[in-house]
Amino acid sequence: MRTADMTSDMRTNMRSLTNSLSPSITNMIRMDHTSVLATFHQYEISSSPRTKKALVDTACMALEIHAQLEEEIFYPAMRAADTDGTVMEKSVPEHNEMRRLITKLRGMEPTDAEYDQTFMELMRDVLHHVADEETTLLPDAERLLKDRLGELGMEMTKRRMQIAAPRAGEFASNTLRGLPTSTMLMAAGAVLAGTYLFRRSNSTHH
């Protein structure tokens, strides 16, 4: 067998191994959606200001990290795969609108008259964005990027840890300010699972 053929086979085998060990990027995006929506559903108008702020801050931080990961890793991969771009055209503007509402919320207090309304507006935008991605973009990705889903998932896991690490104190502060136990355990479990899978993949590759 020629050296070039052996190298090609090794790359194919490595990619297959990565895909089998790493959560796919599309499943990671779905998990992010589920986690944020679970936080949304914990929010009640009658909750204490402390709990409201903890939930809003947690949701906003998760959305910021999620949007950055999609824009750095997922969207470029999709553009390179030559999709028609219909959903992609809306995705970044929708992220920017979410960021606008997040900035507005961070300049308010939970006792402000428009606080609940602003968070509900953010929730509606996120639900619309999630519906677009889960009905169109993610199925397209699983068709067009089927040989790269695990590789991209590992890349997203690694980048998520880099982005989230400086904000660990912010997450801890949110939990202490009244984050419900179920949400705290869900978020902590997601972080631990991501860390385990990333380390497992790295140790296997070495």
Side-chain angles (χ1 to χ4, degrees), residues 67-131:
Q68 184 174 345
L69 289 170
E70 286 192 326
E71 290 170 12
E72 289 185 4
I73 299 169
F74 182 54
Y75 293 169
M78 286 298 289
R79 290 190 189 100
D82 293 326
T83 65
D84 62 16
T86 303
V87 176
M88 293 295 299
E89 288 176 358
K90 298 190 297 180
S91 294
V92 173
E94 286 175 355
H95 282 179
N96 290 337
E97 175 60 14
M98 286 188 285
R99 290 185 177 108
R100 184 189 71 80
L101 291 170
I102 287 170
T103 298
K104 183 177 179 181
L105 281 164
R106 287 191 169 135
M108 303 170 71
E109 293 296 330
T111 51
D112 290 348
E114 294 185 5
Y115 194 80
D116 293 331
Q117 179 183 340
T118 303
F119 188 59
M120 296 304 165
E121 184 180 353
L122 175 63
M123 185 188 300
R124 286 193 297 271
D125 286 353
V126 170
L127 286 169
H128 176 76
H129 182 74
V130 166

Side-chain angles (χ1 to χ4, degrees), residues 22-199:
S22 302
S24 72
I25 191 168
T26 49
N27 283 340
M28 291 184 70
I29 290 170
R30 289 187 180 99
M31 288 169 61
D32 280 355
H33 292 166
T34 299
S35 179
V36 170
L37 293 178
T39 303
F40 281 156
H41 289 310
Q42 297 274 4
Y43 190 93
E44 296 180 358
I45 304 297
S46 59
S47 296
S48 69
R50 180 187 180 93
T51 297
K52 285 184 178 182
K53 186 165 178 55
L55 288 167
V56 168
D57 287 350
T58 298
C60 290
M61 181 172 63
L63 287 169
E64 287 174 327
I65 292 173
H66 177 77
Q68 184 174 345
L69 289 170
E70 286 192 326
E71 290 170 12
E72 289 185 4
I73 299 169
F74 182 54
Y75 293 169
M78 286 298 289
R79 290 190 189 100
D82 293 326
T83 65
D84 62 16
T86 303
V87 176
M88 293 295 299
E89 288 176 358
K90 298 190 297 180
S91 294
V92 173
E94 286 175 355
H95 282 179
N96 290 337
E97 175 60 14
M98 286 188 285
R99 290 185 177 108
R100 184 189 71 80
L101 291 170
I102 287 170
T103 298
K104 183 177 179 181
L105 281 164
R106 287 191 169 135
M108 303 170 71
E109 293 296 330
T111 51
D112 290 348
E114 294 185 5
Y115 194 80
D116 293 331
Q117 179 183 340
T118 303
F119 188 59
M120 296 304 165
E121 184 180 353
L122 175 63
M123 185 188 300
R124 286 193 297 271
D125 286 353
V126 170
L127 286 169
H128 176 76
H129 182 74
V130 166
D132 278 349
E133 288 199 337
E134 297 207 358
T135 58
T136 305
L137 190 58
L138 297 185
D140 281 349
E142 286 167 341
R143 175 173 54 86
L144 295 165
L145 303 172
K146 60 183 179 180
D147 295 329
R148 300 190 61 207
L149 294 174
E151 169 197 340
L152 291 167
M154 187 172 69
E155 184 179 348
M156 181 175 276
T157 299
K158 180 179 179 180
R159 183 64 179 135
R160 182 191 304 275
M161 293 172 69
Q162 293 171 343
I163 296 170
R167 307 186 72 169
E170 183 181 346
F171 172 77
S173 175
N174 290 340
T175 63
L176 291 173
R177 283 190 289 111
L179 193 62
T181 302
S182 58
T183 302
M184 179 181 68
L185 291 175
M186 180 184 297
V191 171
L192 290 172
T195 303
Y196 168 75
L197 287 167
F198 177 63
R199 289 178 176 169

